[in-house]
Amino acid sequence: MQLRKATAASAAVLALALTATACGSDKEDGGSGDGKKITIGIKIDQPGIGLKTPDGKYTGFDVDVATYVAKELGYKAEDIVFKETKSADRETAIERGDVKFIAASYSINDERLQKVDFAGPYLLAHQDILVRADDDSIKSPADLNNKKLCSVAGSTSAKNVKDKLAPKAQLQTYGGYSECLTGLENKAIDALTTDDSILAGYASQQNFQGKFKLAGFKMTNENYGIGLKKGDADLKKKVDAALTKMVSDGSWDKAVKDNFGPANYKNEPAPKIGNIVK
């Protein structure tokens, strides 16, 4: 009698375990749209690019692109899990499988292509500078000589200016872009440099609108791509198709206007898939 009871109890536990496994809706699938999740790496601290707002929402151009691509892969909006992916962690996150793909101001370059694959590009950005709206003293990169140029800790943008374009620029290191903007507004610094898309996103914030302007120097070409696991040709093909559709149906233009419009960002036309501008 005791043996029969134990056997019945074991069977019940096994049945429950099998049921839980079959109904595991938190696992990723191949895009069947049946309620399973897809985890996407983004930035959460870059207004206009990827930002997590105080109420828990995600906004920005990269977020719009990622959401569009996920839907084309068969996922509903509620099935998307956004995961913060810092610049230094992007390749590792893809290699470990922490995310399905990454859309996080992720420039395609030869070094990164050794570790991951890219779909796209979906945006051609350029290194630029942001100055006060009433400052007409900086008309070329050379004019940054003897100017106070903001450098965010860990950024290579300001170093690029100092090494190649304006060796006498006075680098001022700040903890983040928001601090640089405050310093620019208060005239503690003269210019802030990084990708023009990122600068446009910050300048588009309501509290900064009309206070700053992009110089339009186009000092480098930054081809933003969607990072994928190395060798996943099938996913790359699907993401490229989604990006192509986003451009053709007008969603790409709308996302640019929605996220960068207030800064009068003069964006490049949508790049053709596979066209890496050197």
Side-chain angles (χ1 to χ4, degrees):
M1 182 69 177
Q2 294 299 323
L3 178 61
R4 286 198 298 273
K5 284 183 179 180
T7 302
S10 299
V13 170
L14 177 60
L16 285 171
L18 291 172
T19 300
T21 300
C23 298
S25 61
D26 287 338
K27 293 183 178 180
E28 288 191 12
D29 70 352
S32 61
D34 61 359
K36 293 186 179 180
K37 306 295 184 182
I38 181 171
T39 303
I40 302 172
I42 61 167
K43 293 290 183 67
I44 66 169
D45 58 354
Q46 291 183 346
I49 298 289
L51 180 71
K52 185 177 182 180
T53 61
D55 59 0
K57 294 180 180 179
Y58 295 92
T59 65
F61 182 73
D62 282 352
V63 173
D64 290 347
V65 170
T67 300
Y68 189 99
V69 169
K71 287 183 178 179
E72 288 299 306
L73 294 177
Y75 295 93
K76 298 177 182 178
E78 58 267 27
D79 299 328
I80 300 172
V81 177
F82 287 117
K83 181 180 179 66
E84 180 184 12
T85 312
K86 296 184 182 297
S87 295
D89 299 331
R90 289 179 294 203
E91 287 83 33
T92 302
I94 292 172
E95 291 171 341
R96 279 199 311 244
D98 295 345
V99 295
K100 190 71 171 178
F101 64 79
I102 289 178
S105 55
Y106 202 4
S107 296
I108 303 170
N109 62 38
D110 292 340
E111 182 180 352
R112 290 167 179 164
L113 282 168
Q114 298 300 312
K115 299 179 180 179
V116 301
D117 282 339
F118 283 95
Y122 63 89
L123 183 72
L124 175 58
H126 305 283
Q127 186 184 340
D128 199 357
I129 67 165
L130 193 72
V131 297
R132 288 181 293 277
D134 60 355
D135 185 355
D136 295 321
S137 67
I138 304 174
K139 298 179 179 179
S140 73
D143 291 332
L144 290 167
N145 282 308
N146 301 313
K147 296 284 189 179
K148 294 178 181 177
L149 178 65
C150 185
S151 172
V152 174
S155 170
T156 59
S157 297
K159 185 176 183 298
N160 180 57
V161 171
K162 188 170 177 63
D163 289 350
K164 300 177 182 179
L165 302 168
K168 294 182 180 179
Q170 301 172 22
L171 296 187
Q172 306 288 313
T173 302
Y174 284 69
Y177 291 116
S178 294
E179 295 172 56
C180 284
L181 283 165
T182 300
L184 186 58
E185 183 179 16
N186 296 337
K187 299 185 179 181
I189 62 171
D190 300 304
L192 161 62
T193 185
T194 187
D195 295 356
D196 53 7
S197 57
I198 296 173
L199 295 174
Y202 276 100
S204 293
Q205 294 179 94
Q206 189 171 0
N207 56 320
F208 289 134
Q209 287 180 22
K211 295 182 179 180
F212 307 115
K213 63 183 179 183
L214 289 159
F217 291 161
K218 298 184 179 181
M219 294 180 281
T220 63
N221 294 325
E222 307 295 337
N223 298 273
Y224 288 4
I226 290 184
L228 313 166
K229 191 169 185 178
K230 191 74 175 174
D232 195 341
D234 182 60
L235 182 58
K236 182 178 186 299
K237 182 178 179 180
K238 290 177 179 178
V239 174
D240 279 341
L243 293 172
T244 300
K245 182 178 178 181
M246 185 178 186
V247 172
S248 65
D249 70 12
S251 298
W252 187 91
D253 285 323
K254 183 178 184 302
V256 169
K257 183 177 180 181
D258 288 348
N259 292 291
F260 304 128
N264 295 316
Y265 174 48
K266 295 178 175 60
N267 63 282
E268 298 280 3
K272 292 181 180 179
I273 299 301
N275 183 27
I276 309 299
V277 180
K278 297 294 185 179

